[in-house]
Amino acid sequence: MKQAEIVIIGGGPAGLCAALSAAKSGSNVLIIDKNKNLGGQLIKQTHMFFGSEKQYASKRGIDIPEILIDELFKYKENVEIKTEATAVGMYEDGIITVLEKEDNYYKIEPKAVIVATGAYEKFLSFPNNDLPGIYGAGAVQTLMNVYGVKPGNKVLMVGAGNIGLIVSYQLMQAGVEVKAILDAAPKIGGYLVHASKIRRMGVPILTSHTVKEAIGNEFLEKVVISEVDEKFNRIKGTEMIFDVDVMCISVGLTPLNELLALRGCEMKYIPQLSGIVPVRNENYETTVENVFVAGDATGVEEASAAMVEGFLAGLCAAAKIGYKPDDFIDRKNDYIKQLNNLRSGPAGKHILAGIEQIGR
Amino acid sequence: MFEKTGIPSAEMIMKKFPPIERINKGAVAVIECYKEIPCNPCETACKFDAINVGEDINSIPKAKFENCTGCAICLSKCPGLAIMIVDGSKSKDTVEVKIPYEFLPLPKEGQFVKGLNREGSYITDVKVLKVLAPKSFDRTPVITIEVDRRFLYEIRNIKVEV
């Protein structure tokens, strides 16, 4: 059995920042990530980030992993990284089981763990939603921005949240035609600066619209959409048909945190945080001692907030197992202040309402 | 309507523009940030204290036109690509407008391209005066175009035909 001080499950924005913060405090950290490269979803985000300087605002998402990994390198004696390694279980006795590169299965006994497993995409139900050519937004980004493969030529985007808007923009940058963006909600959910920059490329944004059905034999050929009323019922006679070979579904994310449920952490359904999330205290420690959480696994939010949550959870987890730096209080207050600042505007209202319900 | 379409109204746009007398004096930033989001790189980037967001980073940036030099640093740093620079000091008939443009191919200096409004509709042909893409702009090229003065409040994008 492998011994470790702090195990961080997931090397995305929250996990990398948690590792950095804990290592900075003097703890040994072991990062486990199922992917080949660290960075999580950051490696697909070619746009500039919002937030303030401390959350790398104005930097492009794709460049942030390198910044964080370079920083981690300063503490390299304290840091171990396992990529292509999936945490497959986390048990009542605290032991984590890992499957590395499909054939190396082992156990780790950590002093503390930070679960930063992110989120997964929601999908939509409509007739023929399994036709080839219908993708989640994450898959489109992976094809385009990781592998350099155009997913198709004519796209209908479903979802006008930040991801739907950003991926539409990236598709256009890749030379793909975006026919329209639709959303069942009566208003655009994403940042309006993103909406405006796509609109001025000539792409219509159709709010109060939903997918009726997909049409095609071997692959997607057409999509029928229709308008919806305020109760999200389709309005007859408002159908429109789009000739497209790709439909990209971007209708939100839901926290990915089954490991915490398996470990016995108290979980709660909180719609404002986009699903089932662990009950936690202000240090991001769950109801199970020495089990911490950070990032989208604790509620779906922007990457900027995930990074700060990672810094905070890493600091608190290290302190909990005996690595409490002299500037602990200053660092902690700074991270809390940053989070409050990110959430204090209208865009963060629902997050604050959700967090109110999870306090331990 | 803006929240349904992403297209700001003429009234909203006018509120963000400096007075015409200021535009006629020289280059100045127009910050089209209409909705509070947690974001302040424009303020951080400005060396002339011409943009104020303040302690609460959700506040809408306020421009101090008297301090603005039209240097376009904020334009390249705004994650929302919401800033443009207008300059009415060069000619009575035209204005020079700097916009961010993150698409390939980039236009060439001297080339005429399609000028688009905030809906993405064609309004007029515009002449490309400069294409700047230094490393400090971090892959957000800034295009300077010469536009008929009548379209000062309408022009917002270009289309480069391949």
Side-chain angles (χ1 to χ4, degrees):
Chain A
M1 180 131 48
K2 194 174 164 62
Q3 304 293 319
E5 289 197 322
I6 299 179
V7 168
I8 291 149
I9 305 176
L16 282 176
C17 292
L20 188 53
S21 189
K24 194 176 168 186
S25 292
S27 173
N28 285 316
V29 297
L30 167 59
I31 305 172
I32 298 169
D33 194 289
K34 68 174 181 178
N35 296 300
K36 264 200 166 118
N37 298 303
L38 293 178
Q41 299 301 309
L42 289 174
I43 66 168
K44 311 174 194 173
Q45 311 310 326
T46 52
H47 61 282
M48 289 183 269
F49 273 31
F50 295 88
S52 67
E53 214 167 14
K54 283 182 173 172
Q55 301 99 38
Y56 309 101
S58 202
K59 295 266 183 235
R60 294 180 186 276
I62 40 168
D63 297 327
I64 295 175
E66 201 182 310
I67 296 170
L68 295 173
I69 291 165
D70 281 354
E71 188 73 14
L72 254 185
F73 224 75
K74 289 186 192 160
Y75 311 99
K76 61 180 178 213
E77 290 79 25
N78 293 9
V79 181
E80 189 181 351
I81 295 165
K82 297 271 189 198
T83 50
E84 291 180 86
T86 306
V88 289
M90 195 157 86
Y91 299 94
E92 284 162 348
D93 53 7
I95 287 166
I96 299 167
T97 50
V98 176
L99 181 62
E100 192 178 334
K101 293 190 175 76
E102 293 187 2
D103 54 5
N104 185 12
Y105 183 75
Y106 53 89
K107 297 177 187 174
I108 306 174
E109 191 176 26
K111 286 186 181 160
V113 58
I114 302 169
V115 174
T117 39
Y120 65 94
E121 292 181 276
K122 293 177 189 165
F123 208 68
L124 266 189
S125 61
F126 52 84
N128 295 324
N129 72 356
D130 58 348
L131 273 176
I134 303 176
Y135 296 87
V140 165
Q141 276 196 314
T142 304
L143 278 174
M144 243 180 359
N145 300 347
V146 181
Y147 298 112
V149 175
K150 255 169 92 172
N153 294 310
K154 287 181 275 181
V155 178
L156 182 68
M157 178 64 67
V158 183
N162 274 338
I163 297 177
L165 297 173
I166 287 165
V167 175
S168 297
Y169 185 75
Q170 293 173 358
L171 280 159
M172 285 186 276
Q173 286 181 306
V176 178
E177 190 184 349
V178 178
K179 290 283 189 186
I181 302 172
L182 54 126
D183 201 303
K187 283 180 184 174
I188 295 165
Y191 293 165
L192 290 163
V193 281
H194 278 320
S196 293
K197 77 185 195 194
I198 291 149
R199 182 60 245 207
R200 63 177 178 255
M201 299 293 298
V203 179
I205 301 173
L206 307 169
T207 48
S208 299
H209 279 79
T210 193
V211 179
K212 190 180 174 202
E213 62 175 326
I215 298 171
N217 286 318
E218 306 276 310
F219 52 85
L220 181 70
E221 291 168 34
K222 288 175 198 298
V223 179
V224 185
I225 72 164
S226 80
E227 212 175 321
V228 293
D229 62 21
E230 59 279 9
K231 287 181 177 159
F232 299 103
N233 295 311
R234 281 202 302 271
I235 303 170
K236 266 190 195 153
T238 60
E239 286 81 5
M240 278 194 276
I241 298 176
F242 286 89
D243 288 317
V244 289
D245 57 353
V246 172
M247 176 160 38
C248 183
I249 310 288
S250 174
V251 293
L253 304 168
T254 203
L256 177 68
N257 49 29
E258 287 82 351
L259 285 171
L260 291 168
L262 184 67
R263 178 68 178 85
C265 301
E266 188 187 334
M267 308 294 281
K268 218 170 163 181
Y269 177 72
I270 300 180
Q272 292 93 334
L273 300 176
S274 303
I276 296 168
V277 293
V279 172
R280 58 159 180 86
N281 64 17
E282 68 155 22
N283 298 334
Y284 284 76
E285 189 174 15
T286 66
T287 54
V288 175
E289 201 177 1
N290 294 342
V291 176
F292 292 76
V293 65
D296 276 2
T298 183
V300 172
E301 221 177 328
E302 291 297 314
S304 43
M307 290 189 273
V308 184
E309 286 186 340
F311 281 123
L312 180 55
L315 175 75
C316 294
K320 189 79 194 286
I321 62 163
Y323 299 98
K324 195 169 181 176
D326 293 337
D327 60 354
F328 176 82
I329 291 293
D330 290 343
R331 274 172 67 188
K332 185 175 167 182
N333 287 340
D334 176 41
Y335 298 143
I336 291 173
K337 195 178 155 200
Q338 286 185 53
L339 284 171
N340 288 340
N341 216 337
L342 287 170
R343 292 165 177 158
S344 64
K349 234 181 193 165
H350 66 289
I351 297 291
L352 289 179
I355 288 172
E356 238 169 59
Q357 302 167 55
I358 50 171
R360 208 164 89 184
Chain B
M1 267 312 268
F2 178 51
E3 295 195 319
K4 285 179 181 287
T5 61
I7 309 166
S9 66
E11 198 190 348
M12 290 166 70
I13 297 164
M14 286 311 288
K15 277 189 188 156
K16 298 292 182 187
F17 266 77
I20 190 70
E21 299 77 37
R22 172 64 188 86
I23 295 172
N24 288 341
K25 268 187 202 159
V28 62
V30 180
I31 306 172
E32 282 192 80
C33 192
Y34 297 105
K35 185 100 201 276
E36 297 101 325
I37 53 172
C39 190
N40 72 353
C42 54
E43 179 186 55
T44 314
C46 183
K47 294 183 177 72
F48 304 99
D49 190 30
I51 306 178
N52 181 261
V53 176
E55 185 73 3
D56 179 0
I57 64 167
N58 291 278
S59 307
I60 289 175
K62 283 193 202 75
K64 281 186 250 168
F65 298 126
E66 64 276 18
N67 288 1
C68 180
T69 66
C71 72
I73 301 294
C74 59
L75 189 161
S76 73
K77 294 288 178 201
C78 171
L81 306 185
I83 302 177
M84 61 177 189
I85 311 286
V86 293
D87 183 351
S89 70
K90 303 285 168 74
S91 147
K92 261 193 250 167
D93 305 320
T94 59
V95 284
E96 287 189 18
V97 178
K98 285 186 168 71
I99 52 162
Y101 187 75
E102 296 180 324
F103 293 85
L104 291 172
L106 285 174
K108 292 192 176 66
E109 293 178 4
Q111 185 185 350
F112 279 86
V113 295
K114 304 269 178 232
L116 310 180
N117 65 11
R118 288 171 181 79
E119 277 181 52
S121 303
Y122 170 76
I123 43 175
T124 182
D125 285 349
V126 298
K127 188 181 176 185
V128 176
L129 300 177
K130 239 188 186 76
V131 178
L132 281 178
K135 225 176 172 181
S136 61
F137 284 4
D138 190 20
R139 292 155 283 177
T140 302
V142 172
I143 315 295
T144 310
I145 48 176
E146 187 181 59
V147 188
D148 188 318
R149 213 170 245 273
R150 283 178 297 159
F151 301 112
L152 168 63
Y153 300 108
E154 279 180 70
I155 189 85
R156 192 58 182 82
N157 196 13
I158 54 167
K159 187 173 181 181
V160 180
E161 291 193 319
V162 191

